[in-house]
Amino acid sequence: MSDVIVTESQAGWIGAIDGVEVVDPREYLTDPRWNRRRGIKVYNLANSYRYQSFGYYVSLLAEARGHRPMPNVMAIQDLAGKANVRLLSPELDELIQHALSPLTKDEFELSVYFGRNLAKRYDRLSRELFNTFPCPLLRFEFTRRKEKWRLRRAEVIGIKSVPQAHWPFVAQQAELHFAGRGAARSKKNSLRYDLAILHDPNEKDLAPSDPKALQKMIKAAASVGIRAELLTREDAGRLLEFDALFIRETTSVNHHTYRLARWAEREGLIVMDDPQSIIRCTNKVYLAEILEKAKIDVPKTIVVHRRNADQIVPTIGLPCVLKRPDSAFSKGVTKAETEAELAEKLEEMFEHSELVIAQQFMRTDFDWRIGVLDGRAFFASKYHMARGHWQIAKYEDEGKQTFGKAETLPVELAPRRAVSIAVKAANIIGDGLYGVDVKESDGKFYIIEVNDNPNLDSGVEDAILREDLYRRIMESFLRRIERRKAGDNNQ
């Protein structure tokens, strides 16, 4: 996408920025050539966004033209003079308390320009607020009550509301925001679309993809005409620069990955994993219900609460597996061998969730992991149990992790029934990218879980398809982006 700043030409607050067009609101609104152009990200820095002002119409017509305005009309309306703001994430609330705790007064106003404030001590808070309220120019009002800071008001502001003394700083932050991106696009002008790959460099052993695999994704994206870029949570405010989002960070509903997936999808990006898949896959209570309804074989399973816990032993027997509904990477999953151990572990789990999954224990040397994309299996791996353990991952008391070996086979060599039941289970969830865990016992195959964010590691899942594994994923993104663009153009 090309970048365009719409601002009053006579204001003179901003100079030329490499790779960025600067246009007056009147020209943008009335010159027919802007109606014909495609693939534009509009940074609306008009004087005001009040209803029916030039600034309001810039964002309104940008949406109608299929351009991507920042801020969009919904953001303008949601934040225009309202005391009520959206609920903040626990992480952001904690950051607010920490950043503002040294203040002696109980009222504080913070201006955020392209994710920055003039005072460097508020850099991190400003960036997180920008990521939560993605608008170029923002103003926040905070109030302290009973030793706790609260965000009383969040407002998107026009350039006229910025003190003239701040204009040089705003211009500087705008330049930094766009720095290098124009040059990158001119070098890669054959790349039609932009893909953000969200990852967390600190996840390391538990990351869904290792650094080498991430670089293979970028290369595969370029081979189909997509410019891919690695982003972290701190870059969330840039998401609207992209056509699609590929989440390569462990997902959870009560987490920024889900919030970013929802926001990106709402703004028209292609998202994998989409928020619906995150909800469906990360909660094992939902999975148990939906798989039973579809009559897909699973180990004997009970959704347990305190009042029916006495049914576990007569229904499932011992040993049995207990799973916290939001468990991942074998964390929050435990095995009970005796009734005393079962009661103790249930009590621990009920402290965190009112429901627990109890499941029949099946001893196997490995699980099948079938990768499914667009409703078709495209890799098949054997995940062996960690040495001397009943799970793929073994966690030591000191935090050390041990994993069983993994080997990948051509899909055609995997058991046909394992592949077919995996595809059937994935298709119930959606049409995205999934990793389906399957156990074989006495010649029958059972679904253990469907993962919305399957591992794609260099030398493991790509051992057979190699670079073609990543290319298939990027081709899926390309098809989805082009379908979305075609739908927008036909509206």
Side-chain angles (χ1 to χ4, degrees):
M1 302 189 79
S2 57
D3 297 320
V4 175
I5 292 177
V6 179
T7 192
E8 301 286 341
S9 56
Q10 71 270 25
W13 67 272
I14 192 168
I17 298 178
D18 185 34
V20 181
E21 295 179 73
V22 180
V23 60
D24 186 88
R26 297 160 187 81
E27 179 185 342
Y28 179 79
L29 292 171
T30 60
D31 191 329
R33 72 188 180 97
W34 290 102
N35 191 27
R36 294 190 295 268
R37 289 184 58 177
R38 296 289 179 266
I40 294 175
K41 174 70 185 295
V42 174
Y43 288 80
N44 181 4
L45 302 179
N47 278 344
S48 167
Y49 303 115
R50 64 178 173 78
Y51 183 59
Q52 294 193 341
S53 65
F54 282 136
Y56 177 85
Y57 278 117
V58 165
S59 288
L60 187 68
L61 291 193
E63 291 185 31
R65 292 167 177 173
H67 301 169
R68 192 170 291 159
M70 182 182 188
N72 59 31
V73 172
M74 185 176 293
I76 293 170
Q77 292 299 104
D78 284 349
L79 297 178
K82 288 191 176 181
N84 295 323
V85 297
R86 72 182 75 175
L87 292 174
L88 302 180
S89 69
E91 299 92 340
L92 179 53
D93 184 65
E94 183 179 341
L95 182 56
I96 290 170
Q97 307 310 317
H98 176 75
L100 304 188
S101 61
L103 297 175
T104 55
K105 293 184 178 180
D106 291 333
E107 304 283 337
F108 180 66
E109 185 177 277
L110 182 73
S111 297
V112 177
Y113 309 131
F114 285 92
R116 291 289 185 269
N117 178 262
L118 275 77
K120 282 191 170 295
R121 65 179 175 273
Y122 298 122
D123 267 359
R124 189 178 169 206
L125 175 58
S126 297
R127 174 58 61 181
E128 287 297 321
L129 287 167
F130 176 63
N131 289 341
T132 304
F133 306 92
C135 302
L137 309 178
L138 291 157
R139 185 170 292 147
F140 299 91
E141 294 177 10
F142 298 91
T143 305
R144 180 161 49 193
R145 295 285 184 271
K146 297 180 180 180
E147 304 301 317
K148 181 175 174 64
W149 284 99
R150 301 184 187 279
L151 177 56
R152 187 178 70 191
R153 177 182 175 126
E155 182 183 11
V156 55
I157 59 174
I159 191 66
K160 194 174 182 180
S161 298
V162 176
Q164 286 196 26
H166 293 187
W167 285 7
F169 180 79
V170 176
Q172 179 189 41
Q173 297 312 308
E175 287 186 41
L176 290 173
H177 183 82
F178 296 109
R181 283 164 41 205
R185 286 197 181 92
S186 64
K187 290 178 183 177
K188 302 180 180 181
N189 54 15
S190 62
L191 305 183
R192 294 172 289 166
Y193 304 116
D194 295 292
L195 168 69
I197 301 177
L198 182 71
H199 77 126
D200 179 0
N202 298 317
E203 273 196 300
K204 296 181 180 172
D205 289 343
L206 296 181
S209 292
D210 63 337
K212 193 171 180 180
L214 293 175
Q215 292 304 314
K216 289 181 180 181
M217 291 173 195
I218 294 173
K219 184 178 178 181
S223 73
V224 300
I226 298 175
R227 185 182 72 90
E229 182 179 346
L230 296 179
L231 264 64
T232 65
R233 176 189 175 189
E234 285 70 33
D235 304 309
R238 292 186 51 210
L239 270 184
L240 298 190
E241 298 167 16
F242 297 85
D243 299 291
L245 170 64
F246 189 22
I247 299 178
R248 289 282 83 204
E249 181 178 350
T250 304
T251 53
S252 177
V253 172
N254 189 27
H255 193 249
H256 66 267
T257 48
Y258 174 73
R259 292 192 291 271
L260 291 178
R262 277 209 65 183
W263 173 43
E265 187 177 70
R266 189 169 60 244
E267 294 295 335
L269 279 71
I270 300 300
V271 183
M272 200 185 296
D273 307 311
D274 62 276
Q276 181 170 269
S277 292
I278 294 175
I279 288 176
R280 291 178 172 180
C281 291
T282 57
N283 193 288
K284 291 174 172 53
V285 172
Y286 179 92
L287 273 177
E289 187 76 16
I290 199 170
L291 292 173
E292 180 183 3
K293 185 177 179 181
K295 297 187 176 2
I296 292 177
D297 287 335
V298 297
K300 290 180 183 177
T301 301
I302 300 178
V303 178
V304 183
H305 48 80
R306 291 181 185 275
R307 293 185 180 181
N308 72 342
D310 59 352
Q311 296 301 308
I312 295 176
V313 175
T315 305
I316 293 177
L318 292 173
C320 71
V321 177
L322 300 176
K323 299 180 179 181
R324 204 174 61 209
D326 60 350
S327 57
F329 285 110
S330 299
K331 286 186 174 181
V333 180
T334 188
K335 184 173 67 168
E337 300 274 1
T338 66
E339 292 195 33
E341 190 177 23
L342 174 63
E344 178 184 348
K345 292 185 174 180
L346 277 175
E347 189 59 37
E348 290 176 4
M349 288 189 162
F350 284 140
E351 290 180 7
H352 302 283
S353 174
E354 293 185 349
L355 296 179
V356 172
I357 296 294
Q359 203 164 63
Q360 173 189 5
F361 174 67
M362 292 182 172
R363 184 180 300 278
T364 58
D365 293 331
F366 64 86
D367 286 351
W368 285 102
R369 165 65 63 85
I370 308 297
V372 179
L373 174 66
D374 293 335
R376 298 180 62 185
F378 74 124
F379 73 81
S381 299
K382 285 182 176 181
Y383 288 178
H384 291 263
M385 304 304 159
R387 184 182 295 274
H389 192 56
W390 60 278
Q391 291 173 288
I392 293 163
K394 182 179 181 181
Y395 296 92
E396 308 291 349
D397 291 339
E398 60 272 19
K400 181 182 176 183
Q401 301 120 18
T402 305
F403 297 92
K405 68 176 183 177
E407 55 180 320
T408 299
L409 292 74
V411 172
E412 308 81 59
L413 297 184
R416 186 166 51 85
R417 283 179 292 168
V419 173
S420 63
I421 194 175
V423 171
K424 184 178 179 182
N427 287 345
I428 294 172
I429 303 299
D431 65 350
L433 170 65
Y434 307 102
V436 186
D437 294 338
V438 183
K439 276 190 184 292
E440 181 180 3
S441 179
D442 296 329
K444 292 189 67 175
F445 293 90
Y446 302 86
I447 297 294
I448 301 302
E449 59 188 21
V450 181
N451 301 278
D452 66 291
N453 195 20
N455 277 62
L456 298 170
D457 284 316
S458 179
V460 184
E461 289 79 13
D462 67 3
I464 300 300
L465 293 178
R466 301 185 185 278
E467 282 68 22
D468 191 46
L469 179 135
Y470 307 104
R471 184 181 175 89
R472 291 189 189 188
I473 295 170
M474 297 307 157
E475 287 174 341
S476 176
F477 271 110
L478 180 63
R479 288 192 296 270
R480 292 163 187 253
I481 293 170
E482 291 186 331
R483 282 199 301 267
R484 174 69 57 83
K485 299 287 185 186
D488 291 344
N489 292 336
N490 290 331
Q491 287 180 0

